[in-house]
């Protein structure tokens, strides 16, 4: 019986690709006095290439951009500060995020969020999506001293929700850090498809829309009732 549902954040609840594109285009516009010599499309595309879906931190990204695109009127550190303070204004949820969370809460399920990243930044993202109140436990890697795919992070999340890992379902977009790692701790593993990976072999279920999470829960409930 599934008693808790845990989620990854970036690429799972947050439409990160859309959010990053919105931010970087807005940054180019707002800082036109510094960046206008670079075509907006070129600036945005190179930023997205360099940050590699969030796996390269922005200090390195802005250093490289400054070097490649001759950004001389603002230090890379100030561009980074702008990212840290302004990204939250561009956070875009995937469709059906809030309605899905509402439905799960109505079912009496405990909800958790497990994400890699920096504490303040990820908390700002969660607040921007207006979903913080839905979660009974939020674990951010910097604050926990652990990073996915470390199994201890998943086990800690289950413990904070007062459930066994075998009573949890985990939904994430990364085939290894989310799906495989969750399944290795005994959780039901759900892959939310991503344009960045072709497949997640370890997944018990695959979804394309957050609304499908409820369908999986209902499917598992029917299976239990049939068994009984």
């Amino acid at each position: 019986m599934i008693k808790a549902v845990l989620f990854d954040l970036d690429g799972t609840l947050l439409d990160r690709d859309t959010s990053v594109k919105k931010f970087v285009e807005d940054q180019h516009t707002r800082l036109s006095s510094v960046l206008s010599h670079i075509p907006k499309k070129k600036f945005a595309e190179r930023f997205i290439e360099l940050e590699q879906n969030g796996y390269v931190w922005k200090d390195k990204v802005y250093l490289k951009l400054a070097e490649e695109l001759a950004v001389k009127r603002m230090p890379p550190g100030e561009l980074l500060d702008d990212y840290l303070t302004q990204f939250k204004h561009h956070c875009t949820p995937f469709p059906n995020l809030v309605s899905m969370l509402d439905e799960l809460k109505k079912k009496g399920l405990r909800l958790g969020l497990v994400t890699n990243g920096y504490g303040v930044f990820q908390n700002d993202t969660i607040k921007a999506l207006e979903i913080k109140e839905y979660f009974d436990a939020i674990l951010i890697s910097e604050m926990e001293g652990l990073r996915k795919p470390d199994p201890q992070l998943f086990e800690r999340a289950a413990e904070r929700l007062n459930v066994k890992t075998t009573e949890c379902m985990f939904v994430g977009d990364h085939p290894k850090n989310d799906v495989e790692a969750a399944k290795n701790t005994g959780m039901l593993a759900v892959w939310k498809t991503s344009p960045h990976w072709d497949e997640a072999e370890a997944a018990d279920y695959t979804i394309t829309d957050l609304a499908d999470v409820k369908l999986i829960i209902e499917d598992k409930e029917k299976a239990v009732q049939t068994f009984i």
Side-chain angles (χ1 to χ4, degrees):
M1 173 71 80
I2 299 299
K3 296 182 179 180
V5 183
L6 297 95
F7 297 90
D8 166 57
L9 179 60
D10 296 312
T12 300
L13 304 183
L14 174 76
D15 183 346
R16 191 177 181 283
D17 290 349
T18 298
S19 302
V20 169
K21 186 174 186 294
K22 284 182 177 180
F23 161 75
V24 73
E25 289 180 350
D26 178 67
Q27 184 178 55
H28 186 280
T29 299
R30 286 185 297 101
L31 303 180
S32 60
S33 62
V34 177
L35 302 172
S36 61
H37 67 287
I38 310 165
K40 180 181 289 188
K41 183 179 179 182
K42 182 177 182 180
F43 181 74
E45 288 179 348
R46 190 59 181 137
F47 181 99
I48 291 168
E49 288 172 356
L50 288 170
E51 67 120 32
Q52 295 181 27
N53 195 33
Y55 288 94
V56 176
W57 185 235
K58 305 308 170 293
D59 55 352
K60 295 181 175 64
V61 172
Y62 284 117
L63 281 171
K64 191 68 174 175
L65 281 175
E67 177 186 335
E68 289 185 5
L69 303 179
V71 180
K72 298 178 180 178
R73 297 178 63 187
M74 180 176 283
E78 291 185 21
L79 289 169
L80 174 62
D81 288 342
D82 183 77
Y83 171 80
L84 293 173
T85 59
Q86 297 300 314
F87 180 81
K88 61 189 175 187
H89 300 303
H90 304 280
C91 291
T92 304
F94 278 111
N96 301 311
L97 170 58
V98 171
S99 60
M100 178 270 296
L101 293 174
D102 272 329
E103 289 170 347
L104 297 187
K105 293 299 281 187
K106 287 175 183 176
K107 283 182 168 291
L109 293 162
R110 297 184 67 74
L111 301 183
L113 187 58
V114 183
T115 177
N116 287 345
Y118 292 100
V120 173
F121 187 84
Q122 294 299 69
N123 268 316
D124 282 346
T125 297
I126 295 164
K127 290 175 184 176
L129 293 175
E130 299 182 345
I131 57 173
K132 187 171 184 177
E133 68 274 12
Y134 287 100
F135 294 100
D136 302 291
I138 295 175
L139 289 80
I140 301 173
S141 64
E142 182 192 31
M143 300 171 73
E144 300 297 329
L146 296 169
R147 287 180 61 83
K148 294 182 295 183
D150 192 321
Q152 293 182 70
L153 193 57
F154 294 85
E155 292 162 358
R156 185 179 295 178
E159 182 179 349
R160 290 194 188 162
L161 293 172
N162 198 31
V163 295
K164 301 174 183 176
T165 55
T166 53
E167 297 172 325
C168 296
M169 180 169 87
F170 192 95
V171 184
D173 70 305
H174 196 291
K176 180 177 175 62
N177 293 348
D178 294 322
V179 177
E180 184 179 321
K183 188 164 185 177
N184 285 342
T185 66
M187 295 183 181
L188 187 74
V190 179
W191 182 47
K192 185 178 183 301
T193 56
S194 166
H196 301 288
W197 294 280
D198 294 329
E199 62 180 348
E201 294 181 356
D204 296 299
Y205 290 87
T206 297
I207 63 172
T208 58
D209 191 300
L210 289 174
D212 295 336
V213 173
K214 180 187 175 185
L215 301 180
I216 296 174
I217 294 295
E218 292 174 345
D219 181 59
K220 300 302 290 185
E221 289 174 343
K222 289 177 183 177
V224 170
Q225 292 169 359
T226 300
F227 181 76
I228 293 174

